Amino acid sequence: MNGQIYFDNASTTRLCAEALDAMMPHLTECYGNPSSKKYSLGADARSALEKARETVAAALNAEPDEIYFTSGGTESNNWAISGAAQKTPGGAVVVAATEHHAVLKAAAAQKKFGHETVIVPVDGLGFTDTDALRAALEKKAAVVSVMLANNETGTVTRFGPIEQAAHERGVLLHTDAVQAAGHIPIDVKKLNADMLSISAHKFYGPKGVGALYIKRGTDIGPFVFGGSQERGGRAGTENVAGIAGMAEALRTAAAKIPEETERLCALRDRIIGYIKQNIPHAYINGAEGAFRLPGNVNFSMLYVEGDYMLDLFTQSGFCVSSGSACTSGLPGSSHVIDALYAHSPHRGTVKGTARITLGRYNTEREADALLSALPEIVKKLRDNLLYEEFIKSQGK
Ligand SMILES: *Cc1c(COP(=O)(O)O)cnc(C)c1O
């Protein structure tokens, strides 16, 4: 294991054996172009592509003709937002404050085409403020985009009220489900979003491949121009190996959701419990229980620098990720943590944030190793003048 324990599964995941097996033929002997249907090399590639489409659709309770393959979550989000925006001239793009940059920046890019961005605030746990969303929708809107689960805090969106608010006004609804797919059950018919993005490398599939679900009858513009692939919406010879790998990865991950949820929630809640009980002036970011992704732990500490926190985890052999408050002005700062602390008395003093994300290949022993290492890490973090002064000032 080369001395490193990987706790950064929200950044990316290790390719599973099922995905690799599904990819291998398409990286070797089955090299035909899916558009060359006259001979069997091409026809075989085509049938692998359509089989993968059926598998992805089945995992989301979608129809195969509602699945469009892309190069990943970023592209799917960009397509959904620009494709929807261009159908409603002058309509706003309405997004939650905690969206991934692939949504926020895609929204901002629509400004030059006459679409302003409206950013809807979240509460202290990261739930979108539905009253603010309704208020935003009193003006003309082209599309609402609210993610299904947050990549930093793990907060799982209460989607029903958001779906109602958007559709009451007849506005198209997109959801970035990149962190949710393969980790929590997704049923597009129940969610009733018009578009939904997924990315293979977040559920043990290969990097550089994803999909956009577009509900039948939803009219959005094409994204990549050229050949007639993906029904003219996304031109370019398909990444057949990647797509086959994604489909197997999603099928496998979806089947494992019940057992993995139980196992990962137990590990997650042990770590969260330890932090709450043993680290003074530490705060868990995001919702808890069923409204938190199974493998996500995210916490902030008062008077700690995020970079130093990350260095200590790295030196102790743990791959984790940071995300400090934006107000700190430091590189790696997070608009997500900032949005959660918008009305908190700790805004400005919460600086160091660590995200520990567990996945399928993490073991109980690895979680034990983290819990054994935490006291020493915390001791080093707490050995700083600002914190000592803060503690003194509390005593007065
Ligand atoms: C990783 C991620 C993306 C980007 O997906 P890529 O496939 O890496 O482009 C988008 N949204 C969320 C929530 C993510 O976690």
Side-chain angles (χ1 to χ4, degrees):
M1 212 174 34
N2 66 28
Q4 296 251 301
I5 295 180
Y6 188 73
F7 281 146
D8 204 10
N9 287 279
S11 290
T12 195
T13 54
R14 177 180 180 152
L15 190 74
C16 65
E18 291 86 348
L20 181 62
D21 286 348
M23 293 171 78
M24 278 310 275
H26 304 288
L27 295 168
T28 52
E29 68 271 20
C30 302
Y31 55 83
N33 188 318
S35 296
S36 309
K37 287 174 264 188
K38 292 276 185 205
Y39 48 84
S40 64
L41 261 184
D44 289 351
R46 163 68 49 184
S47 68
L49 198 66
E50 296 317 321
K51 195 176 137 259
R53 206 183 301 281
E54 285 166 21
T55 304
V56 170
L60 304 173
N61 195 26
E63 305 305 321
D65 64 3
E66 295 176 317
I67 303 298
Y68 295 78
F69 296 123
T70 68
S71 69
T74 300
E75 186 186 320
S76 295
N77 289 346
N78 274 265
W79 183 6
I81 286 171
S82 68
Q86 61 190 254
K87 293 290 175 175
T88 305
V93 178
V94 180
V95 300
T98 49
E99 292 301 307
H100 191 275
H101 279 137
V103 163
L104 291 178
K105 296 198 177 180
Q110 303 312 307
K111 189 154 188 204
K112 61 178 180 289
F113 305 113
H115 307 278
E116 64 160 327
T117 307
V118 177
I119 296 183
V120 179
V122 299
D123 69 12
L125 298 176
F127 291 116
T128 306
D129 179 339
T130 25
D131 292 336
L133 175 62
R134 280 177 201 281
L137 291 174
E138 277 165 21
K139 281 197 286 179
K140 180 169 160 185
V143 59
V144 172
S145 185
V146 175
M147 71 205 318
L148 210 51
N150 188 271
N151 48 300
E152 291 192 33
T153 61
T155 296
V156 176
T157 300
R158 293 191 181 104
F159 206 70
I162 288 159
E163 189 271 328
Q164 271 179 10
H167 287 156
E168 249 165 33
R169 306 288 303 184
V171 178
L172 287 179
L173 175 62
H174 166 254
T175 187
D176 174 345
V178 170
Q179 289 290 330
H183 301 280
I184 57 174
I186 294 183
D187 180 331
V188 293
K189 295 197 168 63
K190 282 192 190 142
L191 285 173
N192 200 29
D194 303 293
M195 296 165 282
L196 177 145
S197 303
I198 67 169
S199 172
H201 76 99
K202 303 292 175 75
F203 50 78
Y204 313 96
K207 291 163 182 66
V209 57
L212 181 63
Y213 155 86
I214 308 175
K215 195 203 287 169
R216 271 185 195 162
T218 304
D219 184 25
I220 70 164
F223 190 61
V224 179
F225 301 91
S228 60
Q229 291 93 349
E230 300 304 294
R231 277 144 286 159
R234 201 277 185 184
T237 301
E238 302 87 343
N239 174 3
V240 183
I243 290 165
M246 169 166 69
E248 271 324 292
L250 186 58
R251 185 218 298 273
T252 308
K256 286 183 190 287
I257 286 176
E259 57 177 290
E260 280 295 273
T261 300
E262 196 181 327
R263 191 181 74 86
L264 290 175
C265 284
L267 296 180
R268 172 196 77 182
D269 291 341
R270 257 181 75 205
I271 299 170
I272 288 180
Y274 177 91
I275 293 166
K276 282 180 163 176
Q277 278 180 16
N278 298 292
I279 311 182
H281 304 105
Y283 304 92
I284 302 296
N285 299 315
E288 292 195 41
F291 285 100
R292 184 177 200 101
L293 286 174
N296 180 291
V297 176
N298 184 307
F299 70 105
S300 295
M301 288 171 68
L302 291 191
Y303 300 99
V304 158
E305 291 302 339
D307 269 5
Y308 181 47
M309 200 168 173
L310 204 63
D311 287 346
L312 290 180
F313 276 105
T314 308
Q315 284 162 23
S316 312
F318 300 100
C319 307
V320 307
S321 147
S322 73
S324 346
C326 274
T327 42
S328 66
L330 290 169
S333 67
S334 158
H335 65 282
V336 176
I337 301 303
D338 227 29
L340 265 64
Y341 282 86
H343 303 291
S344 161
H346 303 305
R347 184 178 168 80
T349 44
V350 159
K351 289 200 170 119
T353 297
R355 179 187 72 181
I356 299 163
T357 45
L358 294 86
R360 189 185 303 162
Y361 302 111
N362 289 123
T363 61
E364 187 161 7
R365 279 180 60 180
E366 289 177 329
D368 289 339
L370 178 74
L371 291 178
S372 315
L374 270 175
E376 193 56 31
I377 294 173
V378 171
K379 195 169 147 237
K380 285 186 180 147
L381 287 171
R382 281 301 179 228
D383 185 17
N384 83 63
L385 267 174
L386 275 177
Y387 184 67
E388 280 164 27
E389 277 169 22
F390 165 72
I391 290 298
K392 269 188 219 149
S393 75
Q394 295 271 298
K396 275 184 209 156

